[in-house]
Amino acid sequence: MQVADNFIHTIIDEDNVTGKYGGEVYTRFPPEPNGYLHIGHAKAICLNFTTAEKYGGKCNLRYDDTNPVKEDMEYVASIENDIKWLGFQWDKLLWASEYFETMYDAAVELIKKGKAFVCDLSPDEIREHRGTLKEPGRESPYRNRSVDENLRLFREMREGKYGDGEKVLRAKIDMASPNINMRDPVIYRIAHVTHHNTGDKWCIYPMYDFAHPLEDAIEGITHSLCTLEFEDHRPLYDWCLENVGWWDPQPRQIEFARLNLTGTVMSKRLLKALVDDGTVEGWDDPRMPTIAGLRRRGYTPESIRDFCERIGVAKANSMVDSDLLDHCAREDLKPKVESRNVVEDPIKVIITNYPEGKIEEMEMENNRDDENLGSRKVPFGRELYVDGADFMEEPVKKYFRLFPGNEVRFKGAYFITCNEVVKNPDGSIKELLCTYDPETRSGSGFEGRKVKGTIHWVEASTAVEVKVRNYTALMKEDDEGELVFDPDSVEEKICYGEPALKDSRPGDRYQFFRHGYYIADSKLTTDDEKVFNRIVDLKSSFKVKK
Ligand code: ATP
Ligand code: MG
């Protein structure tokens, strides 16, 4: 027997011992196609697919389209694309609206058994009758209609005899139940709306709590995994299946905690609002927690799956720190991607004792962790750029990089000493006049002086201009502690990179040495313009306070 690694697998193991489902495991991922999938959905996707995989079972992709809102085909395409990108393949692709006829028959079955009735109360009156957590509800005056009358009225509802809201079909359960979901819940409503799939065939539509268990049962789902807010709905899930009575064994609903992530929201509705009002670039804005956004930002499917595994499945809602996702990204990228030198906020350096016009090719390893990734040649010359953060005119304590009078190692090249700072008329730095020690060439076996700082550089005449977009969290807390969009969540900079970056193509990932992991933006990178998104920074040991 396999080892259960979460409470859901423990339940499945128990079902396999009793033989409830004959050892079968069949799950489903049931999105409503009303937006792009986000990382919370990724958790549900990973859970459903890997659970099926573990037990040699299957997982369906089922569009939950029983609600007759306009389904957008853009969303449908994005959902399929995202699931495949994460590395999963569904067994069947299904639409819940295909089951409308069976659902109708199931409702008729409940009526025939005296378990459902047509109610003429208005939505407001139904709410009034429902009672509260402390007080029982009151029964509808229509509750005791005869089976025949209910059958006729329900048929007439279907035939379009009544307007929206005029009548509903309700399950006849218990108005005194401590679980409000069990107080004669509405299971069918009238809505004269065209459905994307069934057109005008229907003007009555099943409610989620009635439709969902039927969808699971029709497909032969064994374990129906859903988020915690449905725990109180489980008695109704079971009631519907038991009272329709057509399925044995019945699928079993198991709830797990929703994923919440710091610095962002996890609701299609709220994310859609950011897209619609143009606050972000689109559903795939690199700051968005959507799978499309994470992909464009540069996260790999492996890192997202690793993240979902590490957060595990719990029975209590919690907030996961987005640092964990970043950690997973670094772990995945570190051994895989090649390194490139890019300087931000560049400062010009002139090596005054280096021959004019001379260019040397310096050999640089592509990945410190994997020599199979080889090396490349990087030009070095008299004029270079270094990072703005790697120079301080008046160094703070423990600052070991470039400052007047100090000697540092230029990574893969020479020891360099800064001698003089040349200023522009406005007081800003024009260039640094430095000297190099020819004896200290990297790889020459030089064993002389020790230096404490090593910095990277880019040769000026061959440098490639790259546009770099550094991101922070999409949302931050305002003064009231409310999460709001952070307009400063992206910082765009023009940087200089080594010439090899000229060949980068959309989707190429690199470690920009000492800066972080970056991806060439899939939409904005062209032959002529290189735009890079920062996936994650490196955990830098020392940050200069500005
Ligand atoms: P939203 O509120 O973002 O629209 P939803 O739950 O309404 O989310 P659905 O398309 O109905 O979105 O969800 C499909 C599946 O994904 C459901 O089984 C749901 O439980 C799961 N899911 C949605 N959000 C999360 C989340 N944050 N964490 C884990 N699972 C989630
Ligand atoms: Mg929903």
mmCIF file of all heavy atoms in Angstrom, residues 385-429:
data_model
loop_
_atom_site.group_PDB
_atom_site.id
_atom_site.type_symbol
_atom_site.label_atom_id
_atom_site.label_comp_id
_atom_site.label_asym_id
_atom_site.label_seq_id
_atom_site.Cartn_x
_atom_site.Cartn_y
_atom_site.Cartn_z
ATOM 1 N N TYR A 385 31.123 49.658 -18.127
ATOM 2 C CA TYR A 385 30.087 50.159 -17.213
ATOM 3 C C TYR A 385 30.055 49.253 -15.989
ATOM 4 O O TYR A 385 30.221 48.036 -16.116
ATOM 5 C CB TYR A 385 28.703 50.102 -17.860
ATOM 6 C CG TYR A 385 28.513 51.085 -18.994
ATOM 7 C CD1 TYR A 385 28.403 50.635 -20.303
ATOM 8 C CD2 TYR A 385 28.423 52.451 -18.738
ATOM 9 C CE1 TYR A 385 28.226 51.530 -21.351
ATOM 10 C CE2 TYR A 385 28.240 53.353 -19.783
ATOM 11 C CZ TYR A 385 28.140 52.888 -21.079
ATOM 12 O OH TYR A 385 27.963 53.767 -22.098
ATOM 13 N N VAL A 386 29.843 49.868 -14.845
ATOM 14 C CA VAL A 386 29.566 49.071 -13.650
ATOM 15 C C VAL A 386 28.215 49.507 -13.089
ATOM 16 O O VAL A 386 27.661 50.549 -13.463
ATOM 17 C CB VAL A 386 30.663 49.225 -12.563
ATOM 18 C CG1 VAL A 386 31.991 48.686 -13.080
ATOM 19 C CG2 VAL A 386 30.775 50.674 -12.094
ATOM 20 N N ASP A 387 27.698 48.714 -12.196
ATOM 21 C CA ASP A 387 26.419 48.971 -11.561
ATOM 22 C C ASP A 387 26.469 50.204 -10.664
ATOM 23 O O ASP A 387 27.424 50.371 -9.906
ATOM 24 C CB ASP A 387 26.095 47.772 -10.670
ATOM 25 C CG ASP A 387 24.758 47.203 -10.981
ATOM 26 O OD1 ASP A 387 24.689 46.351 -11.878
ATOM 27 O OD2 ASP A 387 23.791 47.639 -10.324
ATOM 28 N N GLY A 388 25.433 51.018 -10.752
ATOM 29 C CA GLY A 388 25.358 52.188 -9.883
ATOM 30 C C GLY A 388 25.525 51.826 -8.414
ATOM 31 O O GLY A 388 26.132 52.573 -7.638
ATOM 32 N N ALA A 389 24.993 50.670 -8.037
ATOM 33 C CA ALA A 389 25.050 50.254 -6.634
ATOM 34 C C ALA A 389 26.434 49.754 -6.237
ATOM 35 O O ALA A 389 26.689 49.493 -5.068
ATOM 36 C CB ALA A 389 24.014 49.164 -6.376
ATOM 37 N N ASP A 390 27.344 49.614 -7.214
ATOM 38 C CA ASP A 390 28.671 49.081 -6.908
ATOM 39 C C ASP A 390 29.720 50.172 -6.723
ATOM 40 O O ASP A 390 30.911 49.905 -6.687
ATOM 41 C CB ASP A 390 29.128 48.108 -8.017
ATOM 42 C CG ASP A 390 28.422 46.779 -7.911
ATOM 43 O OD1 ASP A 390 27.919 46.481 -6.804
ATOM 44 O OD2 ASP A 390 28.368 46.051 -8.914
ATOM 45 N N PHE A 391 29.263 51.404 -6.640
ATOM 46 C CA PHE A 391 30.188 52.498 -6.369
ATOM 47 C C PHE A 391 29.602 53.425 -5.311
ATOM 48 O O PHE A 391 28.417 53.757 -5.351
ATOM 49 C CB PHE A 391 30.474 53.307 -7.641
ATOM 50 C CG PHE A 391 31.330 54.522 -7.364
ATOM 51 C CD1 PHE A 391 32.703 54.389 -7.148
ATOM 52 C CD2 PHE A 391 30.748 55.784 -7.271
ATOM 53 C CE1 PHE A 391 33.474 55.506 -6.858
ATOM 54 C CE2 PHE A 391 31.527 56.904 -6.989
ATOM 55 C CZ PHE A 391 32.897 56.762 -6.786
ATOM 56 N N MET A 392 30.440 53.808 -4.365
ATOM 57 C CA MET A 392 30.033 54.812 -3.377
ATOM 58 C C MET A 392 31.183 55.790 -3.220
ATOM 59 O O MET A 392 32.309 55.390 -2.906
ATOM 60 C CB MET A 392 29.754 54.168 -2.026
ATOM 61 C CG MET A 392 28.358 53.608 -1.903
ATOM 62 S SD MET A 392 28.027 53.085 -0.215
ATOM 63 C CE MET A 392 26.604 54.064 0.123
ATOM 64 N N GLU A 393 30.866 57.071 -3.427
ATOM 65 C CA GLU A 393 31.923 58.064 -3.316
ATOM 66 C C GLU A 393 32.423 58.136 -1.878
ATOM 67 O O GLU A 393 33.620 58.251 -1.622
ATOM 68 C CB GLU A 393 31.398 59.424 -3.784
ATOM 69 C CG GLU A 393 32.539 60.361 -4.087
ATOM 70 C CD GLU A 393 32.076 61.598 -4.841
ATOM 71 O OE1 GLU A 393 30.869 61.725 -5.128
ATOM 72 O OE2 GLU A 393 32.940 62.443 -5.143
ATOM 73 N N GLU A 394 31.456 58.078 -0.949
ATOM 74 C CA GLU A 394 31.845 58.019 0.465
ATOM 75 C C GLU A 394 31.278 56.736 1.040
ATOM 76 O O GLU A 394 30.113 56.676 1.413
ATOM 77 C CB GLU A 394 31.305 59.238 1.204
ATOM 78 C CG GLU A 394 32.047 60.505 0.801
ATOM 79 C CD GLU A 394 31.358 61.767 1.300
ATOM 80 O OE1 GLU A 394 30.750 61.719 2.382
ATOM 81 O OE2 GLU A 394 31.422 62.775 0.573
ATOM 82 N N PRO A 395 32.105 55.694 1.073
ATOM 83 C CA PRO A 395 31.594 54.374 1.427
ATOM 84 C C PRO A 395 31.096 54.293 2.862
ATOM 85 O O PRO A 395 31.681 54.917 3.753
ATOM 86 C CB PRO A 395 32.825 53.475 1.240
ATOM 87 C CG PRO A 395 33.993 54.383 1.396
ATOM 88 C CD PRO A 395 33.560 55.703 0.845
ATOM 89 N N VAL A 396 30.013 53.553 3.034
ATOM 90 C CA VAL A 396 29.540 53.279 4.389
ATOM 91 C C VAL A 396 30.380 52.132 4.949
ATOM 92 O O VAL A 396 31.141 51.486 4.231
ATOM 93 C CB VAL A 396 28.040 52.904 4.395
ATOM 94 C CG1 VAL A 396 27.199 54.076 3.957
ATOM 95 C CG2 VAL A 396 27.776 51.683 3.518
ATOM 96 N N LYS A 397 30.218 51.885 6.204
ATOM 97 C CA LYS A 397 30.953 50.814 6.871
ATOM 98 C C LYS A 397 30.686 49.482 6.174
ATOM 99 O O LYS A 397 29.554 49.203 5.791
ATOM 100 C CB LYS A 397 30.463 50.727 8.318
ATOM 101 C CG LYS A 397 31.608 50.808 9.331
ATOM 102 C CD LYS A 397 31.013 50.820 10.736
ATOM 103 C CE LYS A 397 31.953 50.122 11.690
ATOM 104 N NZ LYS A 397 31.390 50.072 13.038
ATOM 105 N N LYS A 398 31.691 48.662 6.060
ATOM 106 C CA LYS A 398 31.593 47.320 5.480
ATOM 107 C C LYS A 398 31.221 47.344 4.006
ATOM 108 O O LYS A 398 30.648 46.387 3.487
ATOM 109 C CB LYS A 398 30.581 46.466 6.241
ATOM 110 C CG LYS A 398 31.037 46.141 7.645
ATOM 111 C CD LYS A 398 30.285 44.951 8.176
ATOM 112 C CE LYS A 398 30.838 44.557 9.534
ATOM 113 N NZ LYS A 398 29.931 43.690 10.265
ATOM 114 N N TYR A 399 31.479 48.445 3.354
ATOM 115 C CA TYR A 399 31.244 48.512 1.911
ATOM 116 C C TYR A 399 32.556 48.154 1.227
ATOM 117 O O TYR A 399 33.560 48.848 1.376
ATOM 118 C CB TYR A 399 30.783 49.921 1.505
ATOM 119 C CG TYR A 399 30.343 50.027 0.066
ATOM 120 C CD1 TYR A 399 29.068 49.628 -0.317
ATOM 121 C CD2 TYR A 399 31.200 50.537 -0.914
ATOM 122 C CE1 TYR A 399 28.658 49.719 -1.639
ATOM 123 C CE2 TYR A 399 30.799 50.639 -2.237
ATOM 124 C CZ TYR A 399 29.527 50.225 -2.592
ATOM 125 O OH TYR A 399 29.117 50.334 -3.889
ATOM 126 N N PHE A 400 32.547 47.034 0.506
ATOM 127 C CA PHE A 400 33.800 46.522 -0.054
ATOM 128 C C PHE A 400 33.872 46.664 -1.569
ATOM 129 O O PHE A 400 34.682 46.036 -2.225
ATOM 130 C CB PHE A 400 33.990 45.053 0.322
ATOM 131 C CG PHE A 400 34.023 44.835 1.806
ATOM 132 C CD1 PHE A 400 33.134 43.972 2.426
ATOM 133 C CD2 PHE A 400 34.964 45.510 2.589
ATOM 134 C CE1 PHE A 400 33.178 43.775 3.788
ATOM 135 C CE2 PHE A 400 35.012 45.317 3.957
ATOM 136 C CZ PHE A 400 34.109 44.442 4.568
ATOM 137 N N ARG A 401 32.943 47.425 -2.125
ATOM 138 C CA ARG A 401 32.970 47.544 -3.583
ATOM 139 C C ARG A 401 33.795 48.763 -3.978
ATOM 140 O O ARG A 401 34.691 49.182 -3.263
ATOM 141 C CB ARG A 401 31.541 47.589 -4.103
ATOM 142 C CG ARG A 401 30.777 46.326 -3.664
ATOM 143 C CD ARG A 401 29.367 46.325 -4.125
ATOM 144 N NE ARG A 401 28.464 45.892 -3.072
ATOM 145 C CZ ARG A 401 27.148 45.988 -3.145
ATOM 146 N NH1 ARG A 401 26.586 46.521 -4.203
ATOM 147 N NH2 ARG A 401 26.412 45.569 -2.158
ATOM 148 N N LEU A 402 33.444 49.344 -5.131
ATOM 149 C CA LEU A 402 34.303 50.404 -5.649
ATOM 150 C C LEU A 402 34.088 51.721 -4.899
ATOM 151 O O LEU A 402 32.950 52.151 -4.718
ATOM 152 C CB LEU A 402 33.981 50.579 -7.140
ATOM 153 C CG LEU A 402 35.116 50.960 -8.084
ATOM 154 C CD1 LEU A 402 36.315 50.042 -7.915
ATOM 155 C CD2 LEU A 402 34.605 50.942 -9.524
ATOM 156 N N PHE A 403 35.183 52.327 -4.450
ATOM 157 C CA PHE A 403 35.152 53.710 -3.944
ATOM 158 C C PHE A 403 36.553 54.267 -4.134
ATOM 159 O O PHE A 403 37.512 53.501 -4.337
ATOM 160 C CB PHE A 403 34.658 53.779 -2.499
ATOM 161 C CG PHE A 403 35.412 52.952 -1.500
ATOM 162 C CD1 PHE A 403 36.574 53.428 -0.887
ATOM 163 C CD2 PHE A 403 34.944 51.682 -1.148
ATOM 164 C CE1 PHE A 403 37.245 52.663 0.058
ATOM 165 C CE2 PHE A 403 35.614 50.913 -0.207
ATOM 166 C CZ PHE A 403 36.773 51.401 0.397
ATOM 167 N N PRO A 404 36.693 55.580 -4.116
ATOM 168 C CA PRO A 404 38.002 56.163 -4.421
ATOM 169 C C PRO A 404 39.092 55.584 -3.515
ATOM 170 O O PRO A 404 38.936 55.545 -2.300
ATOM 171 C CB PRO A 404 37.790 57.664 -4.157
ATOM 172 C CG PRO A 404 36.318 57.871 -4.381
ATOM 173 C CD PRO A 404 35.662 56.620 -3.883
ATOM 174 N N GLY A 405 40.138 55.098 -4.160
ATOM 175 C CA GLY A 405 41.258 54.538 -3.421
ATOM 176 C C GLY A 405 41.164 53.050 -3.187
ATOM 177 O O GLY A 405 42.116 52.423 -2.742
ATOM 178 N N ASN A 406 40.021 52.447 -3.487
ATOM 179 C CA ASN A 406 39.844 51.018 -3.196
ATOM 180 C C ASN A 406 40.119 50.147 -4.425
ATOM 181 O O ASN A 406 39.891 50.552 -5.558
ATOM 182 C CB ASN A 406 38.420 50.746 -2.706
ATOM 183 C CG ASN A 406 38.312 49.356 -2.092
ATOM 184 O OD1 ASN A 406 39.244 48.878 -1.444
ATOM 185 N ND2 ASN A 406 37.176 48.708 -2.327
ATOM 186 N N GLU A 407 40.597 48.937 -4.158
ATOM 187 C CA GLU A 407 40.836 47.969 -5.230
ATOM 188 C C GLU A 407 39.829 46.827 -5.101
ATOM 189 O O GLU A 407 39.595 46.313 -4.011
ATOM 190 C CB GLU A 407 42.258 47.415 -5.128
ATOM 191 C CG GLU A 407 42.593 46.465 -6.269
ATOM 192 C CD GLU A 407 44.049 46.012 -6.236
ATOM 193 O OE1 GLU A 407 44.485 45.491 -5.183
ATOM 194 O OE2 GLU A 407 44.751 46.182 -7.253
ATOM 195 N N VAL A 408 39.209 46.467 -6.236
ATOM 196 C CA VAL A 408 38.258 45.343 -6.246
ATOM 197 C C VAL A 408 38.612 44.430 -7.409
ATOM 198 O O VAL A 408 39.404 44.789 -8.283
ATOM 199 C CB VAL A 408 36.787 45.812 -6.423
ATOM 200 C CG1 VAL A 408 36.359 46.730 -5.280
ATOM 201 C CG2 VAL A 408 36.591 46.483 -7.774
ATOM 202 N N ARG A 409 38.000 43.240 -7.400
ATOM 203 C CA ARG A 409 38.160 42.340 -8.533
ATOM 204 C C ARG A 409 37.005 42.580 -9.505
ATOM 205 O O ARG A 409 35.844 42.648 -9.095
ATOM 206 C CB ARG A 409 38.111 40.891 -8.031
ATOM 207 C CG ARG A 409 38.308 39.851 -9.134
ATOM 208 C CD ARG A 409 37.781 38.484 -8.681
ATOM 209 N NE ARG A 409 38.319 38.093 -7.380
ATOM 210 C CZ ARG A 409 39.482 37.451 -7.208
ATOM 211 N NH1 ARG A 409 40.208 37.138 -8.243
ATOM 212 N NH2 ARG A 409 39.883 37.125 -5.997
ATOM 213 N N PHE A 410 37.332 42.793 -10.768
ATOM 214 C CA PHE A 410 36.292 42.815 -11.788
ATOM 215 C C PHE A 410 36.113 41.369 -12.213
ATOM 216 O O PHE A 410 37.040 40.770 -12.775
ATOM 217 C CB PHE A 410 36.695 43.706 -12.987
ATOM 218 C CG PHE A 410 36.260 45.149 -12.847
ATOM 219 C CD1 PHE A 410 36.173 45.735 -11.594
ATOM 220 C CD2 PHE A 410 35.918 45.912 -13.976
ATOM 221 C CE1 PHE A 410 35.770 47.065 -11.451
ATOM 222 C CE2 PHE A 410 35.497 47.243 -13.845
ATOM 223 C CZ PHE A 410 35.432 47.818 -12.582
ATOM 224 N N LYS A 411 34.982 40.831 -11.923
ATOM 225 C CA LYS A 411 34.704 39.399 -12.106
ATOM 226 C C LYS A 411 35.183 38.886 -13.466
ATOM 227 O O LYS A 411 34.847 39.443 -14.515
ATOM 228 C CB LYS A 411 33.202 39.190 -11.951
ATOM 229 C CG LYS A 411 32.676 37.943 -12.603
ATOM 230 C CD LYS A 411 32.130 36.964 -11.594
ATOM 231 C CE LYS A 411 31.587 35.749 -12.310
ATOM 232 N NZ LYS A 411 31.950 34.505 -11.653
ATOM 233 N N GLY A 412 35.995 37.866 -13.434
ATOM 234 C CA GLY A 412 36.467 37.237 -14.667
ATOM 235 C C GLY A 412 37.504 38.047 -15.424
ATOM 236 O O GLY A 412 37.883 37.676 -16.533
ATOM 237 N N ALA A 413 37.981 39.179 -14.816
ATOM 238 C CA ALA A 413 38.931 40.035 -15.547
ATOM 239 C C ALA A 413 40.139 40.374 -14.661
ATOM 240 O O ALA A 413 40.955 39.498 -14.404
ATOM 241 C CB ALA A 413 38.218 41.289 -16.041
ATOM 242 N N TYR A 414 40.229 41.610 -14.186
ATOM 243 C CA TYR A 414 41.416 42.071 -13.458
ATOM 244 C C TYR A 414 41.056 42.708 -12.125
ATOM 245 O O TYR A 414 39.899 43.010 -11.857
ATOM 246 C CB TYR A 414 42.159 43.130 -14.289
ATOM 247 C CG TYR A 414 42.687 42.636 -15.597
ATOM 248 C CD1 TYR A 414 41.967 42.838 -16.771
ATOM 249 C CD2 TYR A 414 43.927 41.981 -15.678
ATOM 250 C CE1 TYR A 414 42.457 42.401 -18.000
ATOM 251 C CE2 TYR A 414 44.410 41.541 -16.898
ATOM 252 C CZ TYR A 414 43.673 41.751 -18.049
ATOM 253 O OH TYR A 414 44.160 41.320 -19.251
ATOM 254 N N PHE A 415 42.101 42.979 -11.329
ATOM 255 C CA PHE A 415 41.947 43.832 -10.151
ATOM 256 C C PHE A 415 41.952 45.279 -10.640
ATOM 257 O O PHE A 415 42.799 45.671 -11.446
ATOM 258 C CB PHE A 415 43.120 43.646 -9.180
ATOM 259 C CG PHE A 415 43.030 42.392 -8.353
ATOM 260 C CD1 PHE A 415 42.246 41.322 -8.745
ATOM 261 C CD2 PHE A 415 43.743 42.302 -7.160
ATOM 262 C CE1 PHE A 415 42.176 40.173 -7.965
ATOM 263 C CE2 PHE A 415 43.666 41.154 -6.380
ATOM 264 C CZ PHE A 415 42.894 40.092 -6.770
ATOM 265 N N ILE A 416 41.047 46.063 -10.149
ATOM 266 C CA ILE A 416 40.881 47.440 -10.617
ATOM 267 C C ILE A 416 40.890 48.366 -9.408
ATOM 268 O O ILE A 416 40.229 48.078 -8.408
ATOM 269 C CB ILE A 416 39.517 47.610 -11.351
ATOM 270 C CG1 ILE A 416 39.324 46.554 -12.441
ATOM 271 C CG2 ILE A 416 39.329 49.045 -11.851
ATOM 272 C CD1 ILE A 416 39.963 46.839 -13.762
ATOM 273 N N THR A 417 41.590 49.463 -9.527
ATOM 274 C CA THR A 417 41.607 50.460 -8.451
ATOM 275 C C THR A 417 40.969 51.750 -8.947
ATOM 276 O O THR A 417 41.261 52.207 -10.053
ATOM 277 C CB THR A 417 43.055 50.770 -8.003
ATOM 278 O OG1 THR A 417 43.682 49.543 -7.620
ATOM 279 C CG2 THR A 417 43.064 51.740 -6.825
ATOM 280 N N CYS A 418 40.084 52.290 -8.154
ATOM 281 C CA CYS A 418 39.448 53.566 -8.502
ATOM 282 C C CYS A 418 40.332 54.709 -8.008
ATOM 283 O O CYS A 418 40.680 54.777 -6.825
ATOM 284 C CB CYS A 418 38.064 53.659 -7.868
ATOM 285 S SG CYS A 418 37.259 55.230 -8.171
ATOM 286 N N ASN A 419 40.680 55.622 -8.917
ATOM 287 C CA ASN A 419 41.586 56.712 -8.543
ATOM 288 C C ASN A 419 40.906 58.068 -8.475
ATOM 289 O O ASN A 419 41.276 58.910 -7.677
ATOM 290 C CB ASN A 419 42.737 56.789 -9.556
ATOM 291 C CG ASN A 419 43.482 55.461 -9.646
ATOM 292 O OD1 ASN A 419 43.943 54.943 -8.641
ATOM 293 N ND2 ASN A 419 43.570 54.886 -10.845
ATOM 294 N N GLU A 420 39.912 58.258 -9.325
ATOM 295 C CA GLU A 420 39.354 59.615 -9.405
ATOM 296 C C GLU A 420 37.906 59.583 -9.891
ATOM 297 O O GLU A 420 37.545 58.762 -10.744
ATOM 298 C CB GLU A 420 40.203 60.419 -10.401
ATOM 299 C CG GLU A 420 39.940 61.902 -10.363
ATOM 300 C CD GLU A 420 40.768 62.646 -11.419
ATOM 301 O OE1 GLU A 420 41.848 62.144 -11.808
ATOM 302 O OE2 GLU A 420 40.310 63.708 -11.870
ATOM 303 N N VAL A 421 37.118 60.470 -9.346
ATOM 304 C CA VAL A 421 35.722 60.594 -9.771
ATOM 305 C C VAL A 421 35.597 61.866 -10.602
ATOM 306 O O VAL A 421 35.932 62.953 -10.122
ATOM 307 C CB VAL A 421 34.780 60.709 -8.554
ATOM 308 C CG1 VAL A 421 33.320 60.713 -8.999
ATOM 309 C CG2 VAL A 421 35.032 59.584 -7.559
ATOM 310 N N VAL A 422 35.135 61.731 -11.847
ATOM 311 C CA VAL A 422 34.938 62.913 -12.697
ATOM 312 C C VAL A 422 33.453 63.259 -12.690
ATOM 313 O O VAL A 422 32.609 62.396 -12.909
ATOM 314 C CB VAL A 422 35.418 62.640 -14.147
ATOM 315 C CG1 VAL A 422 35.265 63.893 -14.998
ATOM 316 C CG2 VAL A 422 36.854 62.145 -14.148
ATOM 317 N N LYS A 423 33.155 64.524 -12.402
ATOM 318 C CA LYS A 423 31.761 64.949 -12.269
ATOM 319 C C LYS A 423 31.281 65.737 -13.478
ATOM 320 O O LYS A 423 32.065 66.406 -14.146
ATOM 321 C CB LYS A 423 31.611 65.835 -11.018
ATOM 322 C CG LYS A 423 31.954 65.162 -9.698
ATOM 323 C CD LYS A 423 30.756 64.414 -9.144
ATOM 324 C CE LYS A 423 31.052 63.707 -7.835
ATOM 325 N NZ LYS A 423 31.082 64.581 -6.674
ATOM 326 N N ASN A 424 29.987 65.699 -13.690
ATOM 327 C CA ASN A 424 29.337 66.590 -14.651
ATOM 328 C C ASN A 424 29.145 67.949 -13.992
ATOM 329 O O ASN A 424 29.226 68.055 -12.763
ATOM 330 C CB ASN A 424 27.966 66.028 -15.047
ATOM 331 C CG ASN A 424 28.112 64.764 -15.876
ATOM 332 O OD1 ASN A 424 28.836 64.749 -16.870
ATOM 333 N ND2 ASN A 424 27.432 63.708 -15.441
ATOM 334 N N PRO A 425 28.848 68.988 -14.822
ATOM 335 C CA PRO A 425 28.624 70.321 -14.225
ATOM 336 C C PRO A 425 27.539 70.297 -13.141
ATOM 337 O O PRO A 425 27.601 71.055 -12.178
ATOM 338 C CB PRO A 425 28.197 71.172 -15.424
ATOM 339 C CG PRO A 425 28.774 70.473 -16.617
ATOM 340 C CD PRO A 425 28.799 69.007 -16.280
ATOM 341 N N ASP A 426 26.535 69.392 -13.282
ATOM 342 C CA ASP A 426 25.452 69.378 -12.287
ATOM 343 C C ASP A 426 25.819 68.564 -11.039
ATOM 344 O O ASP A 426 24.989 68.354 -10.157
ATOM 345 C CB ASP A 426 24.164 68.824 -12.915
ATOM 346 C CG ASP A 426 24.280 67.348 -13.286
ATOM 347 O OD1 ASP A 426 25.366 66.762 -13.065
ATOM 348 O OD2 ASP A 426 23.290 66.783 -13.780
ATOM 349 N N GLY A 427 27.032 68.103 -10.964
ATOM 350 C CA GLY A 427 27.463 67.385 -9.770
ATOM 351 C C GLY A 427 27.305 65.888 -9.848
ATOM 352 O O GLY A 427 27.775 65.156 -8.975
ATOM 353 N N SER A 428 26.609 65.412 -10.879
ATOM 354 C CA SER A 428 26.448 63.957 -11.009
ATOM 355 C C SER A 428 27.753 63.339 -11.522
ATOM 356 O O SER A 428 28.617 64.032 -12.056
ATOM 357 C CB SER A 428 25.301 63.649 -11.975
ATOM 358 O OG SER A 428 25.584 64.196 -13.240
ATOM 359 N N ILE A 429 27.854 62.020 -11.344
ATOM 360 C CA ILE A 429 29.094 61.353 -11.741
ATOM 361 C C ILE A 429 29.139 61.164 -13.249
ATOM 362 O O ILE A 429 28.208 60.624 -13.851
ATOM 363 C CB ILE A 429 29.209 59.983 -11.043
ATOM 364 C CG1 ILE A 429 29.319 60.187 -9.516
ATOM 365 C CG2 ILE A 429 30.420 59.198 -11.560
ATOM 366 C CD1 ILE A 429 29.221 58.929 -8.715
#
